[in-house]
Amino acid sequence: MGRAHNFTGGLAIEVQGPPDAVDQFVKRLTDEAPPIAVIERVEVTPVPPLAETDFRIVASREEQGGPIFVSPDVALCRDCLREMRDPGDRRYRHPFINCTNCGPRFTIIRQVPYDRPYTSMGEFPMCEQCRAEYEDISDRRYHAQPVACPNCGPTLLFVAGERAEQGEHALAAAREMLLEGRIVAVKGLGGFHLACDADDQAAVVRLKDRKNREAKPLAVMAESLAVAAQFSEVTPEVAKLLGSPQSPIVLVRKGEDAPLAPAIAPDTDTYGLMLPYTPLHVLLLEGLGVRALVMTSGNLSDEPLCTDNEEAQERLAEIADGFLMHDRDIYIGCDDSVVRPTRRGPILLRRARGYVPFPVRLGEELRPLLAVGAHLKNTFCLTSGRNAFLSQHLGDLADRPTLEFFERSLEHFESLLQITPEALACDLHPDYLSTRQAERLSAERGLPLFRVQHHHAHLAACLADNRESGPAVGLVCDGTGYGEDGAIWGCEVLVGDARECRRAGHLRYVPLPGGDRAIEEPWRMAAVYLREAFGPGFADELHTPFVQQMDRAAWALLAQMIDRGLNCPQASSAGRLFDAVAALIGLHRTVDYEGQAAMHLEAIAAEEGQAYDFELVERDEGFIIDPLPTIRGIVSDQQEGAGASQIAGRFHATFVAMLAEAAERAAAESGLDIVALSGGTFQNAIVLEQLTDELERRNLRPLIHRAVPPGDGGLSLGQALVAHARWD
């Protein structure tokens, strides 16, 4: 007997009965918690008994001061899947079946507390049968806010030109179009996907052309693990991730036989794979007769995800041949999460659906502040107590639509979580849109603004992710970060904690000819490294395929720019070193997106490789990791006929050896044994796995990211920690 209610920050339950029964109830709360429940702690307080004769859930209460937790959207549960497949069940083939253990949450909530009137399901009054289930404490749908059935729930719609269908006819029309090799926009939990047959090369190429995403890999969705095993390596770890309530996209190795259409992932040895996580996905794929559907984000390249029906039909009109939609509104967009399995456990590459907005738990109390994150792969972070609430993946803050999505998401988070920031944090780079946004908010709200160096934020994020306070050695490796000396940093050896850190060492500086153009054209970096390693006359002295194919006139202009110091910032970037090696061995002279060359280099790398030579050079301001001996070794290998795979394997071994040697030196000098690994380079499984092994062999303790991505998607967490540590 008793009662329960939601309140701001948790759940209050009052029970009464014999002492043994009450004690058993408290124990069973954690031992037999619902599948998606997260119980942080249980506090027991005696209260006077009441004249209760049953157990009731009473109205939710809004209270000030406590943290608010909102459930992420989660995948269809087994019980609902069984019911949906049962011809005798009243929800047979219902595309919106859900219960307390599954279905939409975050993306349909307008405000807290989480009650039906405050969600987009408030537009659908429950029928008598659904209402009875909703109010029956013994039913699996007891107080499941999105509960619905074919009589009272959302309606499935299909539109293609003048054609319009509903319900089963809508589903049949979409399936028919997919089998014809055409492209269908499908409305999911957090936005639209663009779908086509993953075995149809012509359809995949057509989708990529229309989406303006010719090179980037596309995610695919298979009906089941058994089907996925036909074209990929489904390990037990992969199966566990795919079948989890979060149901993310999981990077899986391509199978040796019968791969999918080559255009899906041309430069990698992996597929981004997911299983159907909504009832609509299940119905769309079940018995369709294709091994997988492409399920890529419903947007033009680099734009925010489409969430609204009319918006999707307008923005995706030139991409999709038809639209499979429904009339349940999505209040906030949320893309699919991406996870990579490694020998060290899974790492998040993109944190969104299934994980957001659940907080990252911290090892210390933080005051309310807002960190606006990075320029690329942006997320923001709101802190409250021991909770850091990171936003869903928002994309690259390169244009107005993405900035508007940032602003809309921030307003939604502040309202939903009832957090009012008292300070702001941003990147040190003065020209990032995120920085300008923070400056605007600081001026409008009269709040202090902390500017945080990019790689210091990465170090702090990794420490926070592991609930470590530091100090530690930080190996922070990525493509681009604005350095304290005005140079482009990107392969840094730091020593410190959230409050302060110093630069103990870094990769040798080289010029970045043309600035961002050098990112788009890796051949420029290859030529720069050859010039540094062999001198200005390398083009006439070396006889390698790269040099023979190099545009001499273009290089002559770049060499003049370097000599005169025109638009050639100095860079210590790990990303640009990977780009240079990829270009040297003939993988990519130009790229369509940052990281493409490095991903391809990893994909072809031989498993075993002997490291090339490199040097650690002592300087007054710290040591320099010099890769020029490595470049000379690569050229020597090429001249002796070594293949690209062998060279790629040796380069990865060299990079790991460089970092391990640098970490050991910094650790010895500082008396530390913890090494935090952060930055986008640690999305590379070869580097991550081999380096952590090597650090442990040297009696050092590596820390890797778990709850947030190692790349810029986790940067806002570090900015928040640094700002808090500096806040007087």
Side-chain angles (χ1 to χ4, degrees):
M1 297 179 292
R3 58 189 177 182
H5 69 268
N6 291 321
F7 67 94
T8 304
L11 171 68
I13 305 174
E14 294 181 14
V15 294
Q16 60 188 44
D20 290 347
V22 172
D23 291 343
Q24 184 65 17
F25 175 84
V26 172
K27 182 177 185 300
R28 291 178 64 189
L29 275 178
T30 53
D31 292 349
E32 302 175 24
I36 63 171
V38 177
I39 298 179
E40 293 287 340
R41 66 181 186 276
V42 176
E43 297 178 357
V44 180
T45 304
V47 294
L50 299 173
E52 300 280 2
T53 59
D54 58 6
F55 191 89
R56 297 177 294 120
I57 291 183
V58 297
S60 301
R61 302 176 188 174
E62 292 190 51
E63 300 175 9
Q64 296 297 319
I68 295 174
F69 302 114
V70 176
S71 172
D73 297 345
V74 288
L76 180 69
C77 71
R78 292 182 179 180
D79 289 328
C80 285
L81 178 61
R82 174 181 47 77
E83 291 173 351
M84 190 180 71
R85 287 173 169 168
D86 181 1
D89 193 279
R90 72 187 191 91
R91 290 189 176 87
Y92 176 57
R93 297 184 62 78
H94 181 48
F96 308 99
I97 190 170
N98 67 85
C99 69
T100 54
N101 299 327
C102 68
R105 299 289 192 275
F106 169 60
T107 55
I108 66 169
I109 299 174
R110 186 175 70 251
Q111 66 184 71
V112 291
Y114 175 51
D115 289 329
R116 191 181 182 97
Y118 301 134
T119 74
S120 58
M121 287 300 297
E123 304 298 319
F124 302 94
M126 284 182 276
C127 66
E128 290 185 7
Q129 287 176 289
C130 285
R131 172 65 66 181
E133 293 170 334
Y134 181 84
E135 295 176 351
D136 182 357
I137 195 171
S138 65
D139 196 281
R140 199 175 80 254
R141 293 184 172 87
Y142 185 52
H143 276 245
Q145 306 306 335
V147 66
C149 75
N151 296 323
C152 64
T155 300
L156 198 59
L157 311 166
F158 177 82
V159 175
E162 298 299 318
R163 183 180 182 183
E165 307 282 0
Q166 290 191 4
E168 282 287 348
H169 296 294
L171 185 63
R175 287 161 60 92
E176 175 187 329
M177 186 167 279
L178 290 167
L179 291 174
E180 291 172 351
R182 300 167 77 184
I183 299 164
V184 177
V186 181
K187 191 174 184 180
L189 285 181
F192 278 80
H193 287 110
L194 290 164
C196 70
D197 183 353
D199 273 322
D200 188 334
Q201 173 74 354
V204 175
V205 170
R206 188 160 53 250
L207 171 56
K208 283 192 150 188
D209 287 344
R210 293 180 183 180
K211 189 175 162 67
N212 192 25
R213 185 175 174 166
E214 295 182 5
K216 276 189 177 182
L218 301 175
V220 299
M221 180 180 284
E223 179 183 346
S224 65
L225 290 174
V227 174
Q230 296 175 16
F231 56 83
S232 61
E233 297 180 8
V234 180
T235 65
E237 183 181 13
V238 165
K240 182 178 180 181
L241 288 168
L242 288 170
S244 68
Q246 292 78 24
S247 193
I249 296 171
V250 180
L251 296 193
V252 299
R253 283 192 173 276
K254 296 177 180 177
E256 294 183 2
D257 300 322
L260 299 174
I264 287 175
D267 297 325
T268 74
D269 61 346
T270 59
Y271 291 126
L273 172 67
M274 54 183 159
L275 295 182
Y277 58 83
T278 72
L280 179 56
H281 290 142
V282 173
L283 294 170
L284 189 63
L285 272 159
E286 206 163 50
L288 184 62
V290 302
R291 293 192 299 167
L293 291 177
V294 167
M295 279 284 180
T296 188
S297 301
N299 56 6
L300 283 170
S301 186
D302 300 326
E303 286 189 353
L305 198 64
C306 289
T307 57
D308 178 76
N309 292 352
E310 292 184 5
E311 171 202 21
Q313 290 177 83
E314 179 180 342
R315 284 174 52 197
L316 305 179
E318 300 301 317
I319 305 176
D321 299 307
F323 296 82
L324 184 60
M325 308 176 291
H326 53 76
D327 54 355
R328 183 180 66 204
D329 288 339
I330 297 172
Y331 279 134
I332 195 69
C334 192
D335 217 329
D336 295 311
S337 296
V338 182
V339 174
R340 179 164 205 176
T342 75
R343 284 195 287 104
R344 293 284 173 165
I347 57 171
L348 279 164
L349 304 189
R350 186 167 74 195
R351 187 176 185 269
R353 177 187 52 76
Y355 299 90
V356 173
F358 199 76
V360 176
R361 301 306 238 160
L362 304 174
E364 59 179 315
E365 295 273 341
L366 268 65
R367 286 183 283 180
L369 60 83
L370 164 66
V372 297
H375 177 64
L376 301 177
K377 303 175 180 64
N378 179 266
T379 65
F380 59 77
C381 177
L382 285 165
T383 62
S384 176
R386 291 181 178 267
N387 302 301
F389 297 92
L390 272 73
S391 74
Q392 71 276 37
H393 167 83
L394 300 175
D396 298 346
L397 288 184
D399 51 33
R400 187 64 206 175
T402 311
L403 183 59
E404 289 173 350
F405 183 37
F406 173 100
E407 293 170 339
R408 192 164 63 250
S409 297
L410 176 58
E411 181 181 359
H412 189 67
F413 262 73
E414 288 183 328
S415 172
L416 203 62
L417 302 174
Q418 297 184 13
I419 296 175
T420 302
E422 298 173 4
L424 295 159
C426 69
D427 194 89
L428 197 62
H429 199 297
D431 295 328
Y432 283 174
L433 280 180
S434 57
T435 300
R436 294 174 182 174
Q437 186 76 351
E439 291 170 344
R440 182 184 67 81
L441 291 171
S442 175
E444 289 179 355
R445 301 183 183 186
L447 302 178
L449 174 61
F450 297 91
R451 302 175 191 270
V452 183
Q453 198 281 320
H454 189 92
H455 299 91
H456 185 191
H458 269 302
L459 168 60
C462 189
L463 290 173
D465 203 347
N466 289 271
R467 299 194 190 184
E468 293 275 357
S469 59
V473 173
L475 295 178
V476 185
C477 303
D478 58 10
T480 301
Y482 191 76
E484 293 173 347
D485 58 358
I488 306 299
W489 291 9
C491 187
E492 311 304 314
V493 185
L494 306 178
V495 176
D497 53 21
R499 179 175 293 277
E500 59 185 5
C501 75
R502 63 179 177 86
R503 195 186 194 194
H506 62 86
L507 190 69
R508 175 193 177 108
Y509 279 138
V510 295
L512 207 65
D516 288 346
R517 284 291 297 277
I519 300 172
E520 300 165 4
E521 301 179 12
W523 77 267
R524 297 186 181 210
M525 296 311 304
V528 164
Y529 270 107
L530 289 178
R531 172 186 161 115
E532 296 282 319
F534 294 96
F538 76 89
D540 298 320
E541 298 169 5
L542 299 179
H543 303 285
T544 65
F546 172 81
V547 173
Q548 291 169 351
Q549 297 167 15
M550 187 177 67
D551 185 331
R552 300 298 182 94
W555 171 244
L557 290 174
L558 292 179
Q560 290 180 21
M561 290 172 57
I562 294 171
D563 290 338
R564 297 174 183 175
L566 299 175
N567 193 22
C568 292
Q570 295 293 303
S572 60
S573 168
R576 304 294 76 79
L577 176 59
F578 274 75
D579 285 352
V581 174
L584 282 175
I585 63 176
L587 298 184
H588 292 277
R589 301 182 70 81
T590 62
V591 294
D592 293 300
Y593 60 94
E594 187 177 15
Q596 181 182 6
M599 290 168 61
H600 198 173
L601 193 67
E602 178 189 3
I604 69 162
E607 291 186 6
E608 299 293 336
Q610 180 181 355
Y612 292 113
D613 291 336
F614 62 91
E615 294 181 359
L616 262 60
V617 182
E618 288 292 343
R619 298 283 171 81
D620 291 341
E621 68 277 12
F623 60 83
I624 305 297
I625 306 170
D626 189 350
L628 297 188
T630 303
I631 301 299
R632 298 186 189 105
I634 289 172
V635 169
S636 177
D637 263 3
Q638 284 185 304
Q639 291 173 335
E640 293 177 7
S645 177
Q646 179 185 347
I647 294 173
R650 292 194 67 184
F651 171 71
H652 276 82
T654 306
F655 190 74
V656 166
M658 286 178 183
L659 295 184
E661 188 73 21
E664 187 173 42
R665 180 171 297 193
E669 291 173 353
S670 59
L672 301 171
D673 66 350
I674 299 176
V675 182
L677 311 180
S678 192
T681 303
F682 293 108
Q683 296 177 165
N684 182 313
I686 296 175
V687 172
L688 181 73
E689 293 172 352
Q690 291 187 3
L691 181 58
T692 49
D693 290 347
E694 182 60 29
L695 290 173
E696 288 178 345
R697 279 194 287 270
R698 297 174 186 235
N699 296 315
L700 299 172
R701 180 160 67 92
L703 302 179
I704 68 173
H705 284 277
R706 297 294 187 190
V708 301
D712 284 359
L715 197 76
S716 60
L717 174 63
Q719 290 174 345
L721 269 292
V722 173
H724 172 76
R726 293 176 177 174
W727 195 356
D728 294 328

